[in-house]
Amino acid sequence: MKLVNLLRIAWRAIKRNKMRAFLTMLGIIIGVAAVIAMIAIGQGSRQSIQSQITGMGSNMITIRPSSNVMGGARLDVTNVQALAEPDIIALQKQPEYINAVSPSVTARGQVINGPYNWSTSLQGVAPEYLSIRSWPLQDGVSFTSQDVKRAAKVCLVGQTIITNLFPNGEDVLGKNIRFKNIPFKIIGVLGKKGENTFGQDQDDIILTPYTTVQKRILATTYYQTIFASAIDESSTDKAAAEIQQVMRVSHKLQKGTDDDFTVRTQAELISTFTSTSQILTILLAVIAGISLVVGGIGIMNIMYVSVTERTKEIGLRMSIGARGIDILMQFLIEAILISITGGLIGVALGITATKLVTLFLQWPTLVTQSSVILSFLVCFITGVFFGYYPALKASRLDPIEALRYE
Amino acid sequence: MSSVIVDIRNLEREFKMGDETVKALNDVSFTINAGEFITIMGSSGSGKTTLLNILGCLDKPTKGEYFLDGTNVSKLSKTELARFRNKKLGFVFQSYNLLPRTSAIENVELPLLYNPEISAKQRKEKAMKALEAVKLTHRTHYLPSQLSGGQQQRVAIARALINDPVLILADEATGNLDSRTSYEIMMLVQELNDVQGKTIVFVTHELDIASFSKRTITLKDGKIIKDNINSNVRNARKVLEGLPLISEPSIAAK
Ligand SMILES: Nc1ncnc2c1ncn2[C@@H]1O[C@H](COP(=O)(O)OP(=O)(O)OP(=O)(O)O)[C@@H](O)[C@H]1O
Ligand SMILES: [Mg+2]
């Protein structure tokens, strides 16, 4: 038996009942379209979270004092040492995987320019901070280690600060703004960053030497956070391990005691936030997959009806020389053709729906090749699986009985 | 001089219905030579269809032997029987059994789709030739629903002809047709037998139809009670010519 002939036979049989074939396909079409669209939405949000976090500087590592003191014995907060200058010195001494480190202390308050005022954060950092965050300057220059030593009253301003304090669009370089009554001279303008993953406006910030915040505003010698960067993206885990080692030594922690600080890489942050969207994607895909199975059962149902209804036709085909296997293949191919055609239409519909979601709801979406291939494969398997039993039933008919069937 | 197409020896076919056994065929023996036109007669339940099913390799005898074109069919497997039907036999049924919503030509070429040795081009050519033989070349793309009963049966005959079978089997092929159309079909069958030399076995229970064949085998309770050569074969063409034409006005007057 030639496959072309089998295909031709099956195709003609489907053509004879176009409407029914289409209705049978409908379940598959909806199932596949749902799978494609759901996965695209899930993947899209995942990717956008990922790219936003990466946009914060993918080599970045954050060190904070431990706040998760758990267990009755360790409730004593004094055990926790804050981050301070010795830590920075230790981290900068012959680092292997660490590229740059910067302390960070932040104060919140009103910033004033003449009649305009704005509530914002003043973040004290080292000059290296900009490279750690891979944050370019749009205008002006950064402060120097000299400025850090002097606790200079200079600052770099974010875009949101400019919009709120200088609404008339004048040049801001060299202007003074006041934070807690201390005048800060603007020496640079930060490039626009936009919102971060958590919806915070990253441009609503003023950067200044950390010593300035420590001495002039907070009167402290501690840091809230230390930012560091690995020498490259692939070394972030090694750099994190190195930081942990150095910090333990610096904090004089005994063997067997817990860290009193946490080291987090961007990759960890990404995985925390993408794991929720991953669960969402899986959930959506499962729901969509169920509708695909329902579509498959629809095929089986129709194929059964079709076999019964076409008993006489099967008898005739056998009388003119069709073998059992030919009949089996015919019905199997019919089922597969229906499911694959349904799959094709479903893929097209799913992609269209995805585009519409992006267009009208502005949701990020991503149609992945694997989701298309996967749902197509599932269609094929559905066709084979749900088409097999009706086809087997057809192939086992007795030609005489079948011919006599009314 | 003519070769033997069918050789049946002591054929028996039993059906078991619970405790009861029905002998639908009982010790049937006969031979058919190439070029014969045989009708099988008998009352209802006499075993005509059972015999035809065995002749058509759709059914196997309980006992006895059946040689078709020199092959002992009783020994063939299901798959081999299917190949045999595809290559050696042609079936014509009472209810035509055309595929619905399928054009005449696609119905006719159906048997060749199950023959891997035939190319698409050969298939089309043979289908056209078969339609020509039944004088339906002007209806090649008509659907069964657009054809009269007689035309549908001619499509079915063309389908039975397409594989150039050694034996054509017809079961009450005129059973659904009025007498005029039946004669037209018989004319076609006689022509296939006379001109093309086709061997034909035609089951009927109408004496009127049997009178067009050259030989009639009569069954009763599964046994052959009569097997006689018809000395007075009627010619369907002449019978048709002698038939009064139903004139148009008389239909209109109704
Ligand atoms: N599948 C079957 N199971 C049981 N008995 C059967 C079967 N097929 C036929 N028979 C019996 O065999 C006998 C012959 O049947 P067959 O169909 O050959 O008759 P027939 O001559 O073709 O009759 P008709 O003119 O009504 O078509 C009948 O008694 C019938 O009941
Ligand atoms: Mg019968």
Side-chain angles (χ1 to χ4, degrees), chain B residues 98 103-104 136 139 142-152 155:
Chain B
L98 299 179
S103 69
L136 270 181
R139 294 282 187 273
Y142 277 54
L143 303 179
S145 58
Q146 298 164 332
L147 296 171
S148 71
Q151 286 171 330
Q152 287 185 56
V155 173

Side-chain angles (χ1 to χ4, degrees), chain A residues 49-122:
Chain A
I49 289 172
Q50 207 158 325
S51 71
Q52 278 176 27
I53 295 177
T54 314
M56 286 161 72
S58 53
N59 309 346
M60 189 170 85
I61 299 163
T62 318
I63 308 151
R64 280 183 219 278
S66 244
S67 51
N68 54 334
V69 189
M70 286 180 295
R74 306 227 16 231
L75 268 174
D76 188 357
V77 193
T78 54
N79 273 351
V80 178
Q81 300 179 49
L83 307 171
E85 200 172 359
D87 299 327
I88 291 287
I89 294 167
L91 287 170
Q92 280 173 333
K93 199 155 86 189
Q94 294 175 323
E96 201 176 339
Y97 297 109
I98 305 163
N99 185 40
V101 275
S102 164
S104 170
V105 270
T106 303
R108 278 204 69 87
Q110 289 278 327
V111 59
I112 301 161
N113 170 42
Y116 307 107
N117 69 79
W118 181 245
S119 173
T120 187
S121 301
L122 181 73

Side-chain angles (χ1 to χ4, degrees), chain A residues 401 404, chain B residues 15 17 22 24 43-50 172 205:
Chain A
E401 303 268 311
R404 205 188 290 145
Chain B
F15 290 107
M17 300 277 282
V22 181
S43 54
S44 192
S46 57
K48 306 182 296 290
T49 299
T50 307
E172 315 237 10
H205 46 227

Side-chain angles (χ1 to χ4, degrees), chain B residues 17-80:
Chain B
M17 300 277 282
D19 299 337
E20 229 180 316
T21 337
V22 181
K23 266 198 179 168
L25 291 176
N26 191 1
D27 197 23
V28 172
S29 307
F30 64 92
T31 56
I32 301 172
N33 293 326
E36 280 201 82
F37 176 14
I38 297 179
T39 42
I40 296 176
M41 295 261 310
S43 54
S44 192
S46 57
K48 306 182 296 290
T49 299
T50 307
L51 178 60
L52 205 73
N53 284 342
I54 292 175
L55 284 176
C57 300
L58 290 166
D59 196 9
K60 282 184 172 189
T62 319
K63 256 188 221 154
E65 278 176 311
Y66 170 28
F67 291 87
L68 174 59
D69 206 18
T71 308
N72 189 347
V73 174
S74 333
K75 294 225 160 68
L76 296 182
S77 73
K78 259 188 165 180
T79 310
E80 287 167 324

